[in-house]
């Protein structure tokens, strides 16, 4: 569920609002030297740096930088559980399918 084996493409941002794009997310990962971001639901995220250390907001009860918060919003909206950056390439988890409430 939290694996990230699908390469991110420009089509993943078909309905995203500017500035969100593949390039934007890549630049965020490079700027903060991130390895991955995991989304656990209900506004809970884990941000890992390339040195395997967690990236946390600077102060208690504060938020992450705005560009990272935009990535969080994108992940929650698109139901992406994990995005990772490896050797210059972004990967994402598969998007879980919606259950049909009419199915028996």
């Amino acid at each position: 569920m939290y694996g990230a084996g699908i390469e991110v493409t420009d089509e993943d941002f078909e309905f995203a609002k500017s500035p969100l794009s593949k390039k934007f997310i890549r630049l965020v990962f490079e700027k903060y030297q991130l390895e991955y971001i995991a989304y656990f639901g209900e506004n809970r995220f884990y941000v890992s740096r390339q040195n395997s250390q967690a990236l946390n907001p600077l102060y208690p009860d504060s938020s992450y930088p705005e560009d990272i918060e935009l990535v969080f919003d994108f992940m929650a909206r698109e139901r992406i559980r994990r995005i990772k950056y490896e050797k210059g390439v972004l990967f994402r988890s598969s998007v879980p399918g919606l259950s049909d409430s009419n199915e028996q």
Side-chain angles (χ1 to χ4, degrees), residues 46-82:
Y46 181 82
V47 182
S48 176
R49 292 189 144 187
Q50 291 174 354
N51 61 6
S52 298
Q53 296 293 318
L55 175 68
N56 296 309
L58 292 176
Y59 305 103
D61 297 324
S62 66
S63 60
Y64 286 89
E66 184 178 344
D67 47 1
I68 292 177
E69 292 283 343
L70 287 171
V71 176
F72 291 169
D73 291 343
F74 173 73
M75 291 177 70
R77 188 173 42 259
E78 298 296 326
R79 299 179 303 127
I80 296 171
R81 296 292 188 186
R82 185 172 176 174

Side-chain angles (χ1 to χ4, degrees), residues 1-8 29 35-39 75 80-86 89-95:
M1 178 199 295
Y2 287 97
I6 300 169
E7 188 171 341
V8 173
F29 272 74
E35 179 182 3
Y36 68 87
I37 299 174
Y39 172 49
M75 291 177 70
I80 296 171
R81 296 292 188 186
R82 185 172 176 174
I83 295 178
K84 74 176 179 179
Y85 186 66
E86 186 175 291
V89 180
L90 287 168
F91 296 92
R92 65 170 174 82
S93 62
S94 61
V95 176

